[in-house]
Amino acid sequence: MRIQVLHYVCFVVSVVASTFRCALPETFESQKDCSSSTQESQSETMSGFFGKLDDRVESANSLLCIGLDPHMKEVFPDGWDDKSEEEKCDAAYTFCKTLIDATALYAACYKPNAAFFEALGSNLGVATLERVIKSIPKYIPVLLDVKRGDIGSTASAYAEACYDIGADAVTLSPLMGWDSVSPFVTGKYSSKGAFILCKTSNPGSNDILALDLKSGEAVYERIANLAGKWSSLADGTEETCTTPRLGLVVGATDPEALKRARKAAGPNVWILAPGVGAQGGDLLDAARAGLNAAGTGMLIPVSRGISKAANPGEAAL
């Protein structure tokens, strides 16, 4: 029912965007690399994806990132083996459009997951993804969840494929270095943004991302620190206080890692914090660890918590 969906959304929005502004980390009170006046002037002049995100967060008073993940078991609860590619694509579009219509007032960002659309079929799957992206109101940023990671002409081809269908930003793996990230945020794509995988919400992330380096920092802390440096490279500057081009993906399932990643990245880097709800992440703990001193700088992705609400079709009416 519409009330069930909207009550859930309003709860997340009110808790994350308002209540937690009173429970901010003390870490940044002593940080001097970017003063509050500098942050204010940046918000006035910032352009590109992160500027669009800042504007939307402020206007919607929300940090809610709505995942658009058309799982076939949700789209066709009774089975889909007998469905044609066209039927699956049409149903997936309706599924996503229903969520968009029900949450557009509250969404700071939408995050379609490319894999679910690619799996719909080689003929219409990507076209359906593009159709969904184009149905999102223009003033709401679109973060395409693709987790690409390659270099050279392959990375450039990936970037073109993502942005040609309307994405404002993407998720990326940073493990091949700046070479694998730069094609997505420089040149003709300098207005775009990317969130790089830093400390993901799955338990297996500890296998690599939590390893300690000789410097004494964990791998994920090094990645968090690189986000600011790579943003400076994208801008062609050496300043540490810069308009961000890159954000981080840090799971809400590990508040300590979230806190350490925030400290390493600084207050201006946006963090996408998946894992609240179905994966066991605690919203309050995540917000205390990941929000910056302004009570922002972190997106809370929610997908199944909304898409599995009773009668989502009626919720869009």
Side-chain angles (χ1 to χ4, degrees):
M1 301 293 288
R2 182 180 180 83
I3 291 176
Q4 290 174 291
V5 174
L6 297 188
H7 277 187
Y8 183 85
V9 175
C10 289
F11 168 76
V12 176
V13 172
S14 62
V15 172
V16 176
S18 299
T19 304
F20 292 145
R21 294 178 190 271
C22 299
L24 303 176
E26 298 178 357
T27 305
F28 300 103
E29 293 181 1
S30 60
Q31 288 195 355
K32 303 300 182 181
D33 61 323
C34 290
S35 67
S36 59
S37 60
T38 301
Q39 293 179 28
E40 290 173 3
S41 63
Q42 281 186 336
S43 66
E44 293 174 359
T45 59
M46 191 182 299
S47 59
F49 168 75
F50 287 103
K52 184 177 182 179
L53 178 61
D54 279 340
D55 290 343
R56 178 57 186 168
V57 165
E58 182 176 357
S59 64
N61 190 31
S62 171
L63 298 173
L64 185 63
C65 177
I66 305 293
L68 300 175
D69 307 339
H71 296 263
M72 283 293 96
K73 62 184 179 182
E74 290 187 49
V75 176
F76 294 108
D78 296 327
W80 59 92
D81 290 343
D82 61 339
K83 305 297 182 183
S84 67
E85 181 177 344
E86 183 175 1
E87 288 174 315
K88 289 189 289 185
C89 288
D90 284 344
Y93 171 78
T94 299
F95 175 88
C96 293
K97 187 64 167 63
T98 295
L99 295 179
I100 293 167
D101 289 344
T103 60
L105 289 176
Y106 312 99
C109 183
Y110 283 102
K111 185 176 69 67
N113 189 314
F116 292 106
F117 294 91
E118 293 167 358
L120 293 172
S122 58
N123 295 316
L124 300 173
V126 174
T128 302
L129 173 58
E130 182 176 12
R131 186 183 175 196
V132 167
I133 290 174
K134 289 184 175 179
S135 73
I136 295 170
K138 299 298 183 184
Y139 52 85
I140 303 178
V142 177
L143 169 60
L144 184 59
D145 195 356
V146 288
K147 299 181 179 70
R148 301 300 190 208
D150 213 315
I151 58 173
S153 58
T154 303
S156 297
Y158 277 141
E160 184 176 0
C162 293
Y163 296 140
D164 278 1
I165 60 174
D168 297 306
V170 294
T171 56
L172 301 173
S173 170
L175 294 184
M176 293 184 72
W178 169 239
D179 310 38
S180 65
V181 174
S182 61
F184 292 86
V185 294
T186 59
K188 65 180 179 179
Y189 299 130
S190 60
S191 66
K192 303 297 185 179
F195 283 81
I196 58 176
L197 304 181
C198 180
K199 178 62 169 67
T200 52
S201 57
N202 60 304
S205 67
N206 290 322
D207 294 345
I208 296 175
L209 297 175
L211 294 176
D212 290 327
L213 302 175
K214 288 184 178 180
S215 62
E217 61 189 340
V219 171
Y220 69 81
E221 289 176 289
R222 175 69 61 85
I223 293 171
N225 182 265
L226 285 172
K229 292 182 178 180
W230 287 351
S231 284
S232 297
L233 286 176
D235 281 342
T237 69
E238 296 182 357
E239 300 177 6
T240 57
C241 182
T242 181
T243 300
R245 299 283 185 89
L246 301 174
L248 301 170
V249 180
V250 184
T253 50
D254 190 342
E256 179 60 26
L258 188 53
K259 180 180 179 180
R260 290 169 63 179
R262 168 56 76 195
K263 182 177 181 180
N268 294 328
V269 173
W270 275 90
I271 293 176
L272 181 73
V276 170
Q279 295 185 53
D282 182 83
L283 187 58
L284 177 58
D285 290 342
R288 285 174 171 163
L291 290 175
N292 61 24
T296 184
M298 186 170 71
L299 289 172
I300 307 296
V302 179
S303 178
R304 285 170 286 184
I306 293 176
S307 65
K308 287 188 175 182
N311 207 344
E314 184 176 341
L317 296 178

